[in-house]
Amino acid sequence: MLSASARLIRLLSLFQAQRAWTGAELARRLEITERTLRRDVDRLRSLGYTVDSTSGVAGGYRLGAGNSLPPLLLEDEEAIAVAVGLGVGPASSDGGNDIENASMRALAKLEQLMPPRLRRRLDKLRATVVPVLQKRSDIRLKAVSLFAEACANRALLRFGYRDHHEVVSSRRVEPHRVVQTGQRWYLLAWDTDREDWRTFRLDRIVDPEPTGARFTPRRLPHGDIAAYMQHALQISPYLHHARVLVHAPVAALDGQLSWVGGVPEAVAPDRTRIQTAANSLDALAVWLGCLGHDFEVESPPELGAHLQRVASRLARMSAA
């Protein structure tokens, strides 16, 4: 027979593994009577846990959400996973932002409660996992919460958006998802004025506020957030976007596509349309010049004109 304290821990562990139980099954697992089970459930409630009960032959108990966050019981692997998620590296020396600071505080509390064997496992992870090119995010927890709440409430937003040239434009959007990729945060939304999907970097959004209007969710692009974001982030962060029809099959371009971010689309057995982007027309010209296949520039017009200037300059240099 377990002590009352041990039973409470065991009962809480059962609830966190499976939220709903019949009273009979819980009593059987704990090897106690249903009367004792009722008293133990009342003790959990007094500690801040919300436990809902139902009566009748099939009555039982369900762990609900409370007004405050009560203590959680974590298995060994869960504790390690949470610690890794909070950050296996040291905190930023410059103080970080509020998301990083909250993560470090939570990680410190978790480490204090870890038994030595788990702390040693975490230390080994810290010694062997190396973050490469990790940048500190400037996004505030309040901003992430605002956009996440707007997505959940289907609340139309308006804000200013600062582009690559630091020019701010006015936007009205239907927010659908907040997406984190590495240290960057994005809002995936339907731009009502442009009537198209857009991704907005949260650190470039200025003065967001709800309009008071609600919207009906649209079908998400490609039906897959991950696929759409991968496509968008290969193209949207750059200043110059281009669409090129290459006279070659997709398979013949595998090596060349690794030079720049590009999305290939087979339009014929020997024709491939590529959407690509770069921060300068010169970079696109160099890539296209080294492509090794004939091509047609479909857009933008200034890329075609730039290629002609580059070709004329190279012809003069080679003739000199």
Side-chain angles (χ1 to χ4, degrees):
M1 178 72 68
L2 296 173
S3 67
S5 298
R7 284 201 315 273
L8 286 185
I9 294 175
R10 175 63 177 153
L11 177 58
L12 183 57
S13 178
L14 290 172
F15 271 134
Q16 291 180 345
Q18 176 180 309
R19 293 182 65 187
W21 295 85
T22 64
E25 179 62 13
L26 278 177
R28 187 186 68 79
R29 291 289 192 103
L30 296 169
E31 299 179 347
I32 57 176
T33 65
E34 292 195 36
R35 181 180 178 182
T36 301
L37 174 63
R38 286 194 293 272
R39 289 200 300 267
D40 287 348
V41 168
D42 286 339
R43 290 191 184 99
L44 279 184
R45 288 168 176 159
S46 69
L47 293 172
Y49 294 91
T50 301
V51 183
D52 302 319
S53 59
T54 56
S55 58
V57 177
Y61 301 93
R62 177 183 177 85
L63 185 65
N67 294 327
S68 60
L69 183 64
L72 298 177
L73 291 178
L74 299 176
E75 302 291 339
D76 287 0
E77 297 304 321
E78 293 171 338
I80 291 294
V82 170
V84 170
L86 290 172
V88 297
S92 301
S93 59
D94 59 355
N97 58 32
D98 56 354
I99 295 179
E100 291 172 337
N101 292 335
S103 297
M104 290 303 104
R105 291 196 304 270
L107 181 57
K109 292 177 182 178
L110 180 61
E111 286 192 56
Q112 288 176 0
L113 298 176
M114 277 185 172
R117 56 187 169 78
L118 289 185
R119 213 172 289 132
R120 286 193 293 269
R121 287 181 60 185
L122 186 59
D123 288 341
K124 289 179 181 178
L125 276 174
R126 284 199 175 109
T128 55
V129 176
V130 179
V132 177
L133 299 180
Q134 187 176 28
K135 297 181 179 179
R136 183 174 66 81
S137 172
D138 291 325
I139 301 304
R140 298 291 172 185
L141 185 58
K142 184 178 180 180
V144 175
S145 299
L146 184 151
F147 293 114
E149 186 174 351
C151 292
N153 294 338
R154 302 172 184 174
L156 194 72
L157 293 178
R158 60 171 163 254
F159 51 76
Y161 191 68
R162 190 175 62 252
D163 66 13
H164 300 84
H165 301 288
E166 301 297 318
V167 176
V168 177
S169 59
S170 178
R171 304 297 183 103
R172 285 169 54 91
V173 305
E174 299 173 359
H176 280 260
R177 293 291 188 277
V178 176
V179 182
Q180 184 186 16
T181 61
Q183 295 298 311
R184 286 265 172 87
W185 293 80
Y186 295 89
L187 176 67
L188 171 60
W190 176 266
D191 190 314
T192 59
D193 294 328
R194 291 154 183 79
E195 296 187 340
D196 198 5
W197 292 98
R198 292 290 189 271
T199 56
F200 301 95
R201 272 178 47 177
L202 264 58
D203 59 323
R204 290 180 174 170
I205 293 177
V206 181
D207 298 329
E209 60 179 359
T211 65
R214 296 288 188 270
F215 63 89
T216 301
R218 301 171 186 270
R219 185 176 179 275
L220 296 173
H222 306 295
D224 184 344
I225 294 294
Y228 178 82
M229 290 301 297
Q230 182 179 14
H231 166 82
L233 296 180
Q234 283 180 316
I235 303 300
S236 61
Y238 298 97
L239 292 174
H240 299 280
H241 301 163
R243 189 171 66 241
V244 180
L245 183 65
V246 182
H247 298 187
V250 173
L253 301 174
D254 285 345
Q256 288 89 346
L257 284 178
S258 63
W259 296 9
V260 295
V263 181
E265 175 194 2
V267 296
D270 60 345
R271 293 289 188 278
T272 302
R273 176 172 289 112
I274 298 175
Q275 296 185 63
T276 187
N279 282 328
S280 71
L281 293 177
D282 282 329
L284 290 171
V286 169
W287 177 66
L288 290 170
C290 298
L291 196 55
H293 302 281
D294 292 341
F295 60 86
E296 305 166 38
V297 175
E298 296 182 334
S299 68
E302 55 266 29
L303 176 58
H306 188 74
L307 286 171
Q308 290 180 354
R309 288 194 295 271
V310 172
S312 296
R313 187 166 64 247
L314 291 176
R316 289 197 306 272
M317 294 303 100
S318 60

